[in-house]
Every structure is written in C-alpha cells, then in structure tokens.
Amino acid sequence: MQMSFRWFGEGDPVTLEHIRQIPGVTGVVSAVYDVPAGEEWPYEKIVSLKRRIEEKGLTLAAIESVPVHEEIKMGGSGRDRYIENFRRTLRNLARAGVSVVCYNFMPVFDWTRTDLTFRLPDGSSTLAYDEEIAQKMDPLRGELELPGWDTSYDKGELRALLEAYRGVTEDDLWEHLRYFLIKVIDTADELGIRMAIHPDDPPWSIFGLPRIITSRESLERLIGLVDSPCNGLTFCTGSLGADPNNDLPAMIRTFGGKGRIHFAHVRNIQITGHRSFVEIAHCSSEGSVDMYEVMKAFWEVGFDGPMRPDHGRMIWGETGRPGYGLYDRAMGAVYLKGIWEGFERSSYQGRAGLG
C-alpha cells in the first residue's frame, strides 16, 4: 500500500511542501485541471505535473480523475469522439508512466452534499448530506454550489443537461457504461493502465438522475461488463459506507481478492438518518465505519495500490477547499498508516515466532 494525498495543483492552498512533511505519505493523487472535460490531455501537461511532484520528493501515485464527458454517459451522437479523446489521454498518461486512473460515471453532478460547513459539536466544520434538504433543493435556482461538480455550466446549459437526462433510465446508463468500457478497457489492457471507477457519492439517485455504482451487486455487474484485470474499482469507504446495507470489509475481501481494487479512498462518516450523514474524523470511534476492520480487509487481500485519506473536517481555524484541508486529512493519513504498520509488525512477529 502506498499512502497518498490529493493535490489540486498550484492553486491548492495545500502545497506539495506540506504533503511532503506528512509522515508516511509518499504519493500524490492529482490531475490536469485546465483542459475542458472530454478533450485530450496533452502529454506535455502530464509530464509537467509529474515533474513538479517528483521535484518535491514525491511520486504521482494515481490520476484522479479523467472526466467522462456527458455525451458518453447519455449515449449521445458525439460520444465516439469523446471516447477516442479519452483513449488518447490514456496513451499519453501511460507514456508518462501513469498506471492508475480514477474516473466516475455520475450524471451531471459529482459528489454531492447539502452543507459544506456543517458545524460539529467539537467546533470543527465538515461536509454533510441530508436527504430531506436535498429533496427540496433545486440546482436550477442556484441552491447547489459544490466543488465536486463542473460549475462551468450556466443555468441554461444545466437545464438542457437535466432535460436530456430525463429519459435516461438506470438500464440505459448501464448500457452506456458498457459501450464506454468495451472501447476503453481494450486500450487500458494494451497500455497496462488500471482503470478504477469511483462509486456514486452518495450511493443513490439524486435530483431525478440515475446512479448505478452503489452496492456490492452493482460492483459485481461493473466488473462483469468487461472481464479484464484492468477493469476495476476505486473503493471509497465514505461513498459506499453511506448505505448501511454495504458490508465494507466483506466487499473489500470479495473485490480485492479478485484483484479488482486498484485505488482506495478511506474516510469515515456518521450516519444520522435515512440517506443522511455527516463526514467525521477518520477514527473508528468517531463514525459508522469500522476503520480497523476496513484496513484489516485491505491487508488480508494484499492490497498494494495507492490509498489516500479522503475528505477531512476543517479544524484549528483552517479555511480552504471544502473537504480538502490539510490538518484533518494529514491526521487521517497517519492514523491509517499506523493501523497498517500494526498489521505489518504483527505479521513479521508471527513469522518470526514460527521459526
């Protein structure tokens, strides 16, 4: 396992120098952020990103994310052009030495929350999702402004997108994903790139839009669409953990045992009601996700890919990108690394005892 940290580029208030100082963190997860969704990422931009990271003594552990254009998700007439651009981007990434690529297939909205500054009893602020509030929100009235989705849409464009999706069912979205993967995984196989789909966050439909990567059953269906080791998962404990029906350690053992977990996002949430939750500190005692059992499952399947602490609270007076401050995520990384070290040392001592 390589402990890594998300970095949003030169404009990120969390710098590479900061990341380099977090004990146990050796990798950076990032992307090329100044290329429009659906266009090819130039090789030179990828190499420049990688060079900046390596100059600080870190490695580019994974790309998160290469956006999937809405034409592909909707099955539009222009999807083949955007799929070809995606494949060209994969070739450029492989040429630059990248081997793990995260992506998602969520229509229009990426990760979604109803509150970016929810105040916790300890005075810290965090991200929260309340289904009752979400049901009353109208994105077309500007009631949803989140860093997790493409805010470049004006109201007219957003209205057109939502209208275009009105007739798209879950079965349609599955078929569009299958079409995409048949073409893209073939290229990934050729290049040795592990494709890692991110679960829908939250893992249920929102604003009348279908969401399909939500559960054990859907992950089984996903890897069955194209039977290739390169067709795999970003296992996100916060996204999947928002549904209490998802047994996270069992899912890790199933899909990790098949070699299909290529990237891991590990964070904790506290379920507060039906389809409602707040994001919380990483420690098991703080939330609804048993981090010890999660990390134990990753250890047992021999997970050796990049792992990163996911969203964190804003603590100690820090301000910045919601969910992506420095301090709480850094503590999360060290906490997870500590659990992992415990497994490593116990395993070593067990082997030594046998001798």
Side-chain angles (χ1 to χ4, degrees):
M1 182 268 287
Q2 181 184 26
M3 188 57 66
S4 305
F5 212 78
R6 182 78 180 267
W7 182 59
F8 288 93
E10 298 299 337
D12 193 334
V14 177
T15 67
L16 290 172
E17 287 83 1
H18 292 148
I19 296 171
R20 180 68 177 84
Q21 294 169 11
I22 304 171
V25 172
T26 60
V28 168
V29 176
S30 194
V32 174
Y33 295 105
D34 60 351
V35 175
E39 299 305 316
E40 176 185 352
W41 288 8
Y43 172 72
E44 294 76 14
K45 285 184 177 289
I46 299 167
V47 170
S48 177
L49 171 67
K50 186 181 180 186
R51 185 181 300 118
R52 290 200 302 276
I53 292 168
E54 292 177 344
E55 285 172 353
K56 301 301 181 181
L58 298 158
T59 63
L60 179 56
I63 286 292
E64 184 183 348
S65 299
V66 180
V68 178
H69 196 276
E70 298 298 332
E71 275 284 294
I72 299 173
K73 300 174 197 173
M74 290 188 295
S77 60
R79 63 179 171 178
D80 285 339
R81 179 174 79 85
Y82 292 114
I83 290 174
E84 183 55 34
N85 285 346
F86 197 103
R87 296 170 67 189
R88 289 174 179 168
T89 294
L90 291 184
R91 292 189 181 98
N92 292 337
L93 288 167
R95 183 181 169 197
V98 173
S99 60
V100 177
V101 172
C102 177
Y103 70 102
N104 75 70
F105 219 72
M106 291 179 260
V108 187
F109 305 107
D110 202 311
W111 62 265
T112 304
R113 302 291 183 269
T114 56
D115 194 338
L116 302 182
T117 57
F118 183 85
R119 189 67 60 178
L120 293 168
D122 63 5
S124 62
S125 65
T126 192
L127 307 175
Y129 182 91
D130 186 293
E131 179 73 359
E132 186 175 340
I133 294 174
Q135 292 285 354
K136 298 175 183 177
M137 295 177 76
D138 183 356
L140 293 174
R141 291 204 302 262
E143 296 174 355
L144 185 71
E145 294 182 4
L146 296 172
W149 60 283
D150 188 354
T151 55
S152 65
Y153 301 132
D154 61 32
K155 287 186 179 180
E157 291 170 326
L158 182 57
R159 187 181 301 277
L161 263 180
L162 293 175
E163 184 62 32
Y165 271 107
R166 192 173 299 278
V168 177
T169 66
E170 288 187 5
D171 285 342
D172 293 332
L173 197 58
W174 274 112
E175 177 56 30
H176 302 161
L177 177 57
R178 185 191 69 84
Y179 185 93
F180 169 74
L181 289 176
I182 285 173
K183 294 176 178 291
V184 167
I185 298 300
D186 182 62
T187 301
D189 284 340
E190 171 194 333
L191 300 170
I193 283 185
R194 291 172 289 170
M195 294 290 293
I197 196 168
H198 191 287
D200 300 337
D201 184 9
W204 49 76
S205 297
I206 58 171
F207 308 122
L209 297 166
R211 289 191 164 199
I212 57 176
I213 309 300
T214 60
S215 64
R216 180 191 186 107
E217 292 73 22
S218 62
L219 297 182
E220 289 279 13
R221 183 172 178 177
L222 176 281
I223 65 173
L225 292 178
V226 178
D227 187 14
S228 162
C230 290
N231 179 27
L233 316 172
T234 296
F235 196 92
C236 180
T237 64
S239 301
L240 293 167
D243 184 345
N245 294 313
N246 286 330
D247 183 335
L248 302 181
M251 292 166 73
I252 292 167
R253 291 186 177 95
T254 294
F255 299 106
K258 295 178 180 179
R260 295 300 185 96
I261 299 178
H262 300 324
F263 186 21
H265 289 183
V266 183
R267 60 180 168 87
N268 210 340
I269 56 144
Q270 179 64 57
I271 296 175
T272 56
H274 176 64
R275 292 189 170 182
S276 299
F277 58 89
V278 296
E279 301 193 0
I280 203 74
H282 282 73
C283 301
S284 297
S285 59
E286 298 294 309
S288 302
V289 176
D290 188 331
M291 285 298 174
Y292 175 83
E293 290 298 333
V294 161
M295 295 298 285
K296 182 181 178 183
F298 276 119
W299 169 260
E300 289 177 353
V301 299
F303 178 73
D304 62 356
M307 173 184 291
R308 70 170 180 85
D310 205 0
H311 306 159
R313 301 166 298 149
M314 286 298 184
I315 62 174
W316 301 338
E318 184 178 21
T319 59
R321 182 186 291 266
Y324 286 99
L326 172 63
Y327 306 135
D328 199 40
R329 286 192 298 150
M331 288 196 298
V334 175
Y335 170 73
L336 297 173
K337 187 71 174 177
I339 296 175
W340 196 263
E341 182 178 337
F343 295 136
E344 289 179 326
R345 294 177 72 95
S346 296
S347 177
Y348 172 78
Q349 290 168 1
R351 288 195 297 269
L354 291 174

